[in-house]
Amino acid sequence: MDDLEKAILFSFDESGAIDSMLKSQAVNFCQQIKETPSICRICIEKLSLCNIVQVQFWCLQTLSEVVRVKYTSMSSEERNLIRESVFSMVCCELVDGKSSMRVLESPAFIRNKLAQVLVTLIYFEYPLIWSSVFVDFLPQLNKGSMVIDMFCRVLNSLDDELISLDYPRTADELTVAARIKDAMRQQCVEQIVRAWYDIVSMYRSSDFEVCTGVLDCMRRYISWIDINLIANDAFIPLLFELILADGLPEQFRGAAVGCVLAVVSKRMDPQSKLNLLQTLQISRVFGLVSEDGESELVSKVAALLTGYAMEVLDCVKRLNAENANEASKKLLNEVLPSVFYVMQNCEVDTTFSIVQFLSGYVATMKSLSPLKEEQRLHAGQILEVILTQIRYDPMYRNNLDVLDKIGIEEEDRMVEYRKDLLVLLRSVGRVAPEVTQVFIRNSLANAVTFSADRNVEEVEAALTLLYALGESMSEEAMRTGAGHLSELVPMLLQTKLPCHSNRLVALVYLETVTRYMKFIQEHTQYIPVVLAAFLDERGIHHPNVHVSRRASYLFMRVVKLLKAKLVPFIENILQSLQDTIARFTSMNYASKELSGSEDGSHIFEAIGLLIGMEDVPPEKQSDYLSSLLTPLCQQVQTMLLDAKMLNPEESTAKFANIQQIIMAINALSKGFNERLVTSSRPAIGLMFKQTLDVLLQILVVFPKVEPLRCKVTSFIHRMVDTLGASVFPYLPKALEQLLAESEPKEMAGFLVLLNQLICKFNTLVHDILDEVFPAIAGRIFNIIPRDAFPSGPGTNTEEIREVQELQRTLYTFLHVIATHDLSSVFLSPKSRGYLDPIMQLLLYTSCNHKDYLVRKACVQIFIRLIKDWCARPFVEEKVPGFQSFMIEAFAMNCCLYSVLDKSFEFGDANTLVLFGEIVLAQKVMYEKFGNDFLVHFVTKGFPSAHCPPDLAEQYCQKLQGNDIKALKSFYQSLIEKLRVQQNGSLVFR
């Protein structure tokens, strides 16, 4: 063993036995040898003398690299040496008088590397320099299996490295591939195909491995050679003979199947394709898929049948001539039963999309009305496939039930996977409604009879079909129980599912019952059965917390739908929910049980909807509400009394408890409308007022506990809607407590509450607003910046985002005040000191804010203030200085300079809306201020923007006219002209 061989061995060592320093030296030594001018000769000599596979691999890899990188700079002598030596090796001839058997007897990866070197030469030399490479190779095949094997490896490598489009190719590679394929078609493809046929015919009984290799190689080339070379009376019978020969190895038969699939998949016009498919007589292999479903041969035949079916379906779609279309449909009907079998029982090839194929087939059924018996049968088989495909794997049953990490992943995967299958189900449901409904009915009936180890997945899948079917049904069909629905829904309600304790089954059962509630609305005899499903251990009392939570929410939806129809059942419902109510609001309630979810409150919302109806007798209604509110309020009062004695740990638990109670009361109140609690049944209103009184104490005892403040604020919002104006006596105390804290987030929430009050009661809230506005203005102007927020790195903090949100809410608040006849609040003695900061903020924002809708709101505020504060004909100023501020500051900066700025994009919809308000503001200023505005705007503003006198004159005419649209259109064109004329010479603001 010489130094190079040792160095190669050391460099390939992965055992750790070689010292890392020595290994590094070996790698460097090999690299130096690669750089020597005689490297090609060294490699060729080593390949003819050395049996060590690492050395053989290194030499072949080096030859490949040298040819690929240095071919253009090589001498013709060096090229000849490589060409002759490599070709001699693949053909098992002598190289420099020495045998090349060493390489051909080496492992497969060495022979593949040798083939790769020859393909690299073909890349550069075929057909222009070395035109005879394939023609010279063919006679060498007589030497036997070793050379045949190398021939196949060379063709496979040529496909992998250059021809196959399964890999991304560069433009140069595509050009070379086209050149090689064209030359091969003209010169040698026919001889190669003849050689494939002869080899398979000769070796089919003696060397299965060689035949398998030849067929696998041939499969790759069928897509681009003349199809008639394969699809003929010699090759096709041979291939089917091999496929159907029981005594042959499966791999060999599978390779023949692959070739037939390549023939089937060959691209051609639809009529030629149909003729080809008819000659194949594919039915010969149908029986093979019903053999052992796990074998490699069955998988290959399955891929053939699905590929064939897709091609036939394509012919059905593309052939319009009646006889050709009928012939295509005949072939399709022939293959479909086997395809359905494959879909349900075999591993389907990844390139075949079940949903895509079946959707395509269902689309062809749409033109058939009514469906023939054969199509009805196929529709049933499609549904069978869907049912099989959407079924969960039982191995995940426990994971899905407890919903651990694996269960969550599997459920998410299945939800995504089912989407297209359920779309397909709805398509079948539209084409064959009766078949679909009968199938679902039978699936559900059969699923229940399965043994316990199987029925969970079967029942869940059948219920999922029924649920999905409901999505495609019209409201009318659902209501009347069209088709078999009048049989399906009662069956759903009355079937006892032995696996109801399973989370997935329980959830889809409740979702499905809810989905068909329109049917129950019309068929009220089933209401007791529906209520039982939600109220017993199948729903709200289910042992799995995920199910009981979802059941609570769905029950609330059911109550909303059935409403008055449930009045006779209220007593029973409340009785059934007693323990749930107590658990949700008990003093020892473990808040973590709900994991931050508020869905426990859905029970209270459902109860509120039930007992809040006017159909409930007044005494009963009072009793029901009192029995719920009284204990809840008592719990809150007890906790408030104990507040000072709580340690931090107890405080956290109590705060969670109080939150739960407020949520419950809040949800409960949603069932009661304002008219009922204030007019027809004031006793109910009184109970809610007393409750509000109790809950407002929370703000006094726990003024700084933000979650509690949020919940109480939410309840006040609720009471504003429920109690109407009768909430007024409680507002001063509530607002005073809420205003005690001035964090940006809480202040924004406070403004939202005031907005609700103003929008609901208008000027009735004047005195309340007058009282709180100075404190609000003082707090906010201490928090928000007077101009722009800081920008750049480190400025997008939670704190800054909260202040920005507060500022946005402030603009809405000011807008609501101005547009609800409450602008006089700004002028009250207590608030007058904040008028200037408010005006300056609105002015800055109307000119500069990046959100044009915020700018629009500010302009609208100014328009409203002009109308409120400026009478005409001119009398004593209501707000001294306001008119001059509007004319000199607002008109100039907002109405002129801000729109002249190039950032004011007229192509943007929001910009145009803002522009419309700016034009309207000018019109209003002219109406209220007359020539004071017009003269200042035209003589001071326009000259600074280099406006020609004739355009200024036209502006005056448009402004004094009555057509606001014409004014807007003119002003836009004026601004666009001024932008061109001023050419950047005007410095804004």
Side-chain angles (χ1 to χ4, degrees), residues 344-358:
Q344 289 170 265
N345 299 284
C346 306
E347 194 69 43
V348 178
D349 187 70
T350 51
T351 57
F352 175 72
S353 165
I354 290 176
V355 175
Q356 192 180 339
F357 172 75
L358 292 178

Side-chain angles (χ1 to χ4, degrees), residues 108-172:
F109 73 91
I110 297 294
R111 285 174 279 155
N112 286 340
K113 187 54 73 174
L114 175 60
Q116 196 180 46
V117 177
L118 184 59
V119 166
T120 309
L121 285 168
I122 289 170
Y123 178 93
F124 287 108
E125 299 193 341
Y126 182 78
L128 301 176
I129 298 169
W130 189 11
S131 60
S132 63
V133 55
F134 296 108
V135 176
D136 292 344
F137 211 144
L138 288 166
Q140 305 293 329
L141 301 178
N142 292 326
K143 293 180 180 176
S145 59
M146 205 173 272
V147 178
I148 294 170
D149 174 72
M150 274 316 301
F151 183 61
C152 291
R153 287 180 194 279
V154 169
L155 289 177
N156 290 347
S157 181
L158 182 62
D159 184 59
D160 285 337
E161 300 293 324
L162 206 58
I163 294 173
S164 171
L165 294 175
D166 290 343
Y167 312 100
R169 304 292 185 196
T170 65
D172 286 347

Side-chain angles (χ1 to χ4, degrees), residues 561-581:
L561 283 167
L562 297 179
K563 287 182 181 163
K565 293 184 173 74
L566 293 177
V567 171
F569 306 97
I570 290 178
E571 294 277 358
N572 291 339
I573 292 170
L574 292 178
Q575 192 67 38
S576 299
L577 293 174
Q578 225 165 15
D579 59 334
T580 309
I581 294 165

Side-chain angles (χ1 to χ4, degrees), residues 310-327:
M310 284 187 78
E311 296 297 329
V312 175
L313 181 61
D314 191 55
C315 290
V316 171
K317 290 177 185 172
R318 293 168 62 193
L319 289 168
N320 295 321
E322 192 176 336
N323 55 347
N325 190 270
E326 283 305 312

Side-chain angles (χ1 to χ4, degrees), residues 608-635:
L609 291 164
L610 277 171
I611 67 175
M613 290 184 282
E614 294 207 35
D615 306 75
V616 180
E619 307 77 30
K620 284 277 187 191
Q621 195 170 52
S622 293
D623 289 347
Y624 293 147
L625 187 59
S626 177
S627 69
L628 290 158
L629 288 181
T630 304
L632 294 177
C633 289
Q634 284 170 352
Q635 284 184 53

Side-chain angles (χ1 to χ4, degrees), residues 837-869:
I838 290 170
M839 293 297 108
Q840 295 299 338
L841 177 68
L842 291 173
L843 174 63
Y844 181 84
T845 306
S846 64
C847 296
N848 300 292
H849 204 285
K850 62 184 178 186
D851 186 337
Y852 279 35
L853 295 178
V854 172
R855 284 167 73 166
K856 180 195 81 169
C858 292
V859 175
Q860 287 175 331
I861 293 170
F862 279 125
I863 292 171
R864 190 58 191 248
L865 295 181
I866 296 168
K867 290 177 177 178
D868 284 358
W869 295 349

Side-chain angles (χ1 to χ4, degrees), residues 817-831:
I817 291 174
T819 54
H820 285 79
D821 299 316
L822 288 165
S823 63
S824 59
V825 168
F826 299 141
L827 306 179
S828 71
K830 296 178 191 171
S831 304

